[in-house]
Amino acid sequence: MRSNRLHTLLLATLLAFFSATSRNTIASDRPNVLVILVDDLGYGDLSCYGAEDMRTPHMDQLMQRGVRLNEFYANCPVCSPTRASLLSGRYPDRVGVPGVIRTHAGDNWGFLDPSAILLSELFQRNEYHTALVGKWHLGLESPNTPTERGFDTFHGFLGDMMDDYYHHQRHGHHYMRKNKEVIHPKGHATDLFAQWANSFLLEQALQEEPFLLYLAFNAPHTPIQPPKSWLHRVKAREDGISHKRASLVALIEHLDAAIGSVLQTLDRTKLSENTIVAFASDNGGQLNVGARCGPLRGGKQDMYEGGIKVPACVLWPSRISPGQTSNQRLLTMDLYPTLCEAADIEISHTIEGVSFLPMLLGKEQEWPQRDLVWMRREGNMRYQGRDYYALRRGPWKLVQNSPFMPYELYHLEKDPMEATNQAHKETKVYRELVRALQYHVQQGGKVAWQSPR
Amino acid sequence: MRSNRLHTLLLATLLAFFSATSRNTIASDRPNVLVILVDDLGYGDLSCYGAEDMRTPHMDQLMQRGVRLNEFYANCPVCSPTRASLLSGRYPDRVGVPGVIRTHAGDNWGFLDPSAILLSELFQRNEYHTALVGKWHLGLESPNTPTERGFDTFHGFLGDMMDDYYHHQRHGHHYMRKNKEVIHPKGHATDLFAQWANSFLLEQALQEEPFLLYLAFNAPHTPIQPPKSWLHRVKAREDGISHKRASLVALIEHLDAAIGSVLQTLDRTKLSENTIVAFASDNGGQLNVGARCGPLRGGKQDMYEGGIKVPACVLWPSRISPGQTSNQRLLTMDLYPTLCEAADIEISHTIEGVSFLPMLLGKEQEWPQRDLVWMRREGNMRYQGRDYYALRRGPWKLVQNSPFMPYELYHLEKDPMEATNQAHKETKVYRELVRALQYHVQQGGKVAWQSPR
């Protein structure tokens, strides 16, 4: 505990200093970038998304401080592929990550294309300080560790999840790293990541150059393991709440406080004014641990809306007016060009993501006619190593919720719960969407998704 | 016609010379290799495979002159993947060719891995004269044209098929080549390929070094277009035969004669004694044009036995005793290491194919316990760009005949017609085979199957 107290003391001292001035904000008008990714947070699991048994003031406030994105979709209903899209600006199957990357080779469904140009690499080349704090999940070894893929510093863990929020191991492996060094920190992962992010921000406030901080919390992913005091508080407050739901609520509230501390650091260092913050979940909530995905069908792993539609917002106090919402349909990969454009970083390679910065800045933006596509590959007896897909065009969604199902067709405007399959009725639409999806499947064949070794 | 007569005259003169001596057979004891691949010939479509309305004396004789392989399987129920396996010794999805390579990008389901080491490349490095006569079907442009992939000479066509056996075009493209030169030869493709093969053999008989000739006829692939006189002969001979069936029978008989002429050249140049000849079909017969696949379920495109079990044999007069049969279960890719071993060419990279040369030579051969796997990817409304699979282990076969079907399980010894699905009864076997197949699917992820461009 002593180190925690010292840390708090140091933080207070530094904050006192920065409340006077912040060199970073003065020296450069290139914005800092903070991406906050949370893990398995469902579309219904924030107070401001309708969760009445939950108090998430900091994330609620985040949503208020810029543009809340009501139609933001994760690129995939599971973890690694969405992260690959965030960092590459591309569909997951265009960068070799159709499924979850895992410890055991037989259960590993992705290999990040070494030739993909990551957001971190672009920002690093453009003289940003780049850091990843928290969950990487895009490779356990060379060439795909964070410091090899554009992050100046990495303080977090490599793996897909932790088997325990306090010992941080996965399948008996220690995946916590400070850059390349194996570390054994003490504490709840959410607290650690917030501390490490705060430390990074304090350092950055002293720097001339802007930063890119990718802060990837593993909460509220399983195991649903909030600090005990947080669980007690929720149980005491919420009459009749189940232990299961209370645990998840507490884990999310604890996460909310951690995010609050980071936002506070941003504010008190005066970094926040010129820091663009993007916040999103990597996929929908996991229903069987009590998560809620709002009024949507399905949850994590599902190609139905609950698996892919997620809470998200972007703020940039000096440029984006607060209190806005947008119903523009977006994907995780759109953040890549958006953040690059904000940082005036040119993209000269092919990506599928589309910048929505003009919209954020309140400018007229012409939207491309585009289909949105989701795909995932997974092992086990349900998926058997095969891939499954969804495609959205206008109000129509073609969707297959497991590899062996025929495609279903839903009209999401008339049928947001995806209840009435129109595949056999709207055959023209069905055929057009199947053809479009076939094209996507084919393009995915350009990239291997297992290590050649 | 004049050039044909001249050709015949030249052939006769040269043969008279070679009937005295053949330098090749004296100078080297490394065998020549002749691979004859025919296109869409079903398991029931030779006289010696039970076709009573057909006369195929030359292929019948071929089967008699070495070891007839009763349990030989094409690596795929369609064309390009099997050819990729033949030339790489690997499963098609391990070399980027899960489906048919075609003219139009949107309908193209393979891109031969430029790093795959082809049979032609290995033989070329080992100072064999290497030639492809006939159908390539593994790429229409650089880096995947025959002369870039190990063939000293190429005399044939690049495409997936011809829209006409006489004008040789496909989708209006001229794909006939002499090496890299576009050519416009006159005549039925089967006759041309036999002539070109014969010319090559005559040249080779004068050489010190041995040769690898890959002779890939496009007959009896569609269009079912035999020379008219051949069709008339069949109709006159076979009472009550349908026009459809008669056309196919005639196309196969015409092919048989062409193969006969090549075998005759081998014999008369005395090359045959030390030439190992491998003969096979690339997949099962196409049922809707009158093909027959013997007492098997399904045909071309199907993962059922009719789609993949094909006529095949290997002969090598100086080393392999004639008149043998083998029921060893083999795949096209096994020819690669078999032919390499026969030619004393070492393979120092990974392949899945297993040499069956010892068995051919009458030696004891221990067989690896191995699963056989088939996969294919295809476009159009039935397949929608997706892949489908089969796996054989012992008597059991797990099979999916289109991408959206659940796997079926058959006991092929008790149920050779694949009539009684045991997936729900033999759940332990089912699960084991699904797991094995999942591993194969995953390994396929190591290789891209579309050009990166």
Side-chain angles (χ1 to χ4, degrees), chain B residues 52-65:
Chain B
E52 296 187 352
D53 56 0
M54 192 180 285
R55 298 187 186 178
T56 52
H58 302 292
M59 287 187 269
D60 294 350
Q61 192 200 22
L62 203 63
M63 294 284 171
Q64 284 293 332
R65 287 174 72 179

Side-chain angles (χ1 to χ4, degrees), chain A residues 36 41 65 125 168 199 231 253 258 267 277 286 291 295-296 306 322 352 362 390 399 412 431 451:
Chain A
I36 302 176
L41 182 70
R65 288 176 70 179
R125 279 183 218 162
H168 319 132
S199 297
L231 177 58
E253 291 188 357
D267 286 340
V277 181
Q286 186 172 330
L296 304 174
E352 290 82 37
V399 56
L412 281 197
R431 293 176 75 90
S451 166

Side-chain angles (χ1 to χ4, degrees), chain B residues 46-156:
Chain B
L46 292 176
S47 307
C48 63
Y49 278 69
E52 296 187 352
D53 56 0
M54 192 180 285
R55 298 187 186 178
T56 52
H58 302 292
M59 287 187 269
D60 294 350
Q61 192 200 22
L62 203 63
M63 294 284 171
Q64 284 293 332
R65 287 174 72 179
V67 184
R68 174 170 154 173
L69 305 166
N70 290 328
E71 298 279 328
F72 189 92
Y73 287 88
N75 261 97
C76 189
V78 294
C79 186
S80 297
T82 295
R83 286 157 208 268
S85 288
L86 169 67
L87 289 184
S88 69
R90 307 205 62 173
Y91 279 112
D93 48 345
R94 298 301 297 274
V95 290
V97 190
V100 171
I101 292 171
R102 295 198 183 92
T103 304
H104 303 304
D107 202 21
N108 173 53
W109 302 96
F111 174 69
L112 182 62
D113 181 359
S115 74
I117 299 168
L118 301 195
L119 189 71
S120 43
E121 292 165 335
L122 265 189
F123 274 70
Q124 190 177 55
R125 280 183 218 163
N126 281 274
E127 294 172 10
Y128 268 70
H129 295 287
T130 57
L132 165 57
V133 170
K135 178 173 177 174
W136 169 238
H137 201 186
L138 287 172
L140 296 165
E141 56 190 28
S142 186
N144 282 330
T145 60
T147 52
E148 293 171 293
R149 298 307 307 257
F151 287 105
D152 300 336
T153 62
F154 168 47
H155 209 165

Side-chain angles (χ1 to χ4, degrees), chain A residues 291-327:
Chain A
R292 294 176 186 167
C293 300
L296 304 174
R297 180 175 178 183
K300 180 181 182 179
Q301 299 204 75
D302 290 325
M303 286 294 174
Y304 298 119
E305 295 293 280
I308 51 179
K309 201 171 193 177
V310 292
C313 65
V314 177
L315 43 148
W316 186 3
S318 67
R319 301 288 302 278
I320 298 175
S321 308
Q324 302 183 73
T325 60
S326 166
N327 293 325

